[in-house]
Structure formats: C-alpha cells, structure tokens
Amino acid sequence: MKILVLGGGFAGLEAAIKLRKYGYEVTLISDRDYMFIYPVSIWIPVGKRSFKDTQLSLYDMQKKHGFNLLIEKITKIDIENQKIETDKNTHDYDYLFIALGMGKVQMKGKENTHSICGLPEESLVIKEQLENLIAKGHGDITVGFGGNPKDPTATAVRGGPAFELLFNISLYLKEKGLRDQFKLTFFAPMDEPGKRMGQRAYDKMDGFFKHYHTETHFGKKIKEFTDKAIVFADDTELKSDLTLFIAGGEGMDLIKNTTLPLNKAGFIEINELCRVEGSKNVYAIGDGAAIIDHPWAAKQGHVAEVMADISTYNFNNKIKHIGRRKSYWEKLHIVCVMDSGDGAAFVIRTRKKEIMIPLPVVGHWMKKGWGWYYRQTKMKRMFRIPGM
Ligand SMILES: Cc1cc2nc3c(=O)[nH]c(=O)nc-3n(C[C@H](O)[C@H](O)[C@H](O)COP(=O)(O)OP(=O)(O)OC[C@H]3O[C@@H](n4cnc5c(N)ncnc54)[C@H](O)[C@@H]3O)c2cc1C
C-alpha cells in the first residue's frame, strides 16, 4: 500500500508521524527540507529569533519517526490516475493526504508590501527593510491584514500575526529609543478587524493600540499598494515607507488545477472525518481544507494538527475494519497566545465560550516556551500534552 503525504508543515508532518505510529510505511513530499514554525517567526524581523531556530529539519524528523522523505516540488496532482508529478519524478499512490497549506489573494501593488505569512525567507526581507528604515532614523510603518470576499466564512483571515508584528515593532523601536521618530499605523479593510477572536477580545484591542502608541485605520477597502502609500477605494491615501500586509487566504493554484471538489475560495471540501468529499482514498488537512458550519473558527496550526490526528485515526480504522470514526469538529476551537514582545493576550474561542486574558510579561515567555516545547515533542525528547 503506497501512502503519500504532500507537505511538511504542521498538518503534513503530524500526519506522517501519526501514520508511522499506526505502523504504516509513508512517504512525505515537501519542497523545503524543514518545517517552518510560523507562530514564532514573528520575532525574526525584530531580531529576537534567528531564521535557523525557526526551522525543524525534516531530515531529523525522518530519522526520529522513520518516514520516507522526498524534497521535491509538486507540480501536478492527478486525482483520476492517482499520480503526483514533481520537478523530479512521478509518484503513484493508493492513499493521499494533502497538506500543502494555502495561497494568498492577489492584490494590485502587492510587490510593494511584505508578508510575515508568506514564504519563510520573507521574514528576513522584513527584517532587512525595517533595519534600513531604522538607519534613516524616521518613517511611517503600516501593518495590516485583509480578507477574501470569496471565502464564505472568512476562516482564512489571518490577523493575529499582524497584531503581533505591530506590537513587537513598536517595542523594538522603543528599546532603541526611536519610538517617537516613527509613526506606526494598523490598517484593515473591515470595520472590526480581530473580531474573530471574540467580542471580548476585540473590545480589549483598543487598550493594546493605546499602550503601543499605534494609530488605526479601519473600514476602507484597499485599492492598491504603491511604494509610498496604501491607496483606498475612495482614493484617499495612507503614507507608508514600509507596508507589512497579510492578504486573505485562498486555495493554491496547484489545487485549483485539479478535479478535487473546491469551495468558492479554492479550499478543498472535506467531510467531518477530513476525507475529501466524494473520495474514498484522499484526505485534505490543514490550511488548504475548507472548514464548514463553524463560521467563528479559524485556520490555525493546532487545527492543522487536529485534522492530521483525526484523518489518520479514521484512515487506520477504515483499513483495519474498526467501526469507530472521529470528527474534527469536536476539537475545533481558536486558541492563541497573541504576543506583544513584552507580554501577550491569551485567547480562547469555542462555539460557546470567548475568553481573553491579558498576560503581561509571563505571556511572552509562555509563547517562547511553546516554541521550545513544540520542537522537543517533535524530536521525541518530551511527552506531548494532548491538545497542546
Ligand atoms: C506568522 C504566522 C503566525 C502564526 N501564529 C499562529 C499561532 O500562534 N497559533 C496557531 O495555531 N497558528 C498560527 N499560525 C497559523 C499556522 O502557522 C498555520 O495554520 C499552519 O502553518 C498550517 O499548517 P499547514 O500544514 O496546513 O500549512 P503550512 O504550515 O503552510 O505547510 C505547507 C507545507 O507544504 C509545502 N508545500 C507547499 N507547496 C508545495 C509544493 N508545490 N510542493 C511541495 N511542497 C509544498 C510547504 O513547504 C510546507 O511544508 C500562524 C501563521 C503565520 C504565518
């Protein structure tokens, strides 16, 4: 039986590990030889974490967990013929786990922006651009995020890292004694950015903006980005020397060019078991899978891991003719520690609950500790606490 896992991020790595635990031979294909630990990459631009420390070597993971590893760029997913084409080879499969992440909505003038949610190397470009501006001694920095009008439930809006980057940059400038020389503005086209974390969390954001002396600019559709400004639909402009923008998520082109069932935003339609709708042997997990019926939910690293866990459990029971199945919906919730450099806010949101607890100082160290814990558990040096 040939099992392929496509992608070596949160979802793909966890799926390969779980499949090995169930005793299957499995091959993971990734275009990078490392997993990028995105949640802690927010500290790369402000020099509090190195690019190298934000990577988890897939070769090390292969040695620890015993899966086969191919570092190849996937160019075509041929569902009818059960074949995966890469820049180096063609691979057959009997069972497929698609965990390739998501693409981003294309916007006019995007080349004048940088995203902390893009390719890993982009975090280094942001660092370089920030240092260049600091060397000048003054400037306007804007940080924001957008949505995808085609995404019916807006689960692919990624706002948390924008807030984290904004507050961390503010603190970084303050530590350099330069805070007053820079204007920092948070911008978003929606009226209430951050509301996905829940009403209570949203209400507390004002306090954060005040504390970190950042201006806000909400509720105006973005027309384009230029090298000097953000231009809005009403042709007003927000001056910007450095624009850090996270576009809304959408399905990757690679996925759009398949016969997989997709929603309007290009995400793969799956059932509660994480199996692709209408398919018997293909699972889709992580950011690339469409979350339905839970409009308050968000695509997150821990959701990607939950999907990996659920899909492999259901797959194993199917193969071994065990009747039990699990639904990822039962474990769906938003949980995040939103870092601000010298503190954090702990956010939990479920269908019924909304909690936000400001955690000065200790919250920052909690998030730093999580990065260390994640690496140790993946290297099998520590026991994994369920759900964390
Ligand atoms: C800056 C930032 C901060 C975040 N903070 C948090 C947080 O605090 N908490 C939280 O829960 N979530 C957080 N997230 C979200 C979390 O990182 C994502 O939800 C998670 O990475 C999704 O996992 P994934 O495996 O679906 O995709 P990814 O992690 O994006 O992995 C996709 C994989 O597919 C591979 N791939 C893509 N295309 C190809 C191809 N053509 N050929 C071969 N391989 C390919 C990539 O190399 C990668 O290995 C954050 C995200 C960002 C960007």
Side-chain angles (χ1 to χ4, degrees), residues 7-11 31-32 38-39 74 117 158 161 286-287 300-302 367:
F10 274 87
D31 58 354
R32 320 193 253 269
Y38 276 109
I74 297 156
C117 295
R158 185 148 287 156
D287 280 359
Q300 284 200 293
H302 84 95
K367 183 138 186 164

Side-chain angles (χ1 to χ4, degrees), residues 294-350:
H294 293 74
W296 52 267
K299 293 182 189 290
Q300 284 200 293
H302 84 95
V303 174
E305 290 209 329
V306 162
M307 287 178 162
D309 185 40
I310 296 293
S311 59
T312 50
Y313 173 90
N314 291 331
F315 163 79
N316 181 49
N317 280 5
K318 174 189 152 101
I319 298 293
K320 295 189 176 145
H321 304 290
I322 302 167
R324 286 189 300 276
R325 297 287 183 271
K326 281 188 189 168
S327 160
Y328 81 94
W329 287 356
E330 284 158 25
K331 294 191 178 175
L332 202 55
H333 52 269
I334 293 178
V335 56
C336 86
V337 176
M338 194 182 71
D339 182 78
S340 54
D342 54 357
F346 183 54
V347 179
I348 294 186
R349 183 161 189 202
T350 66

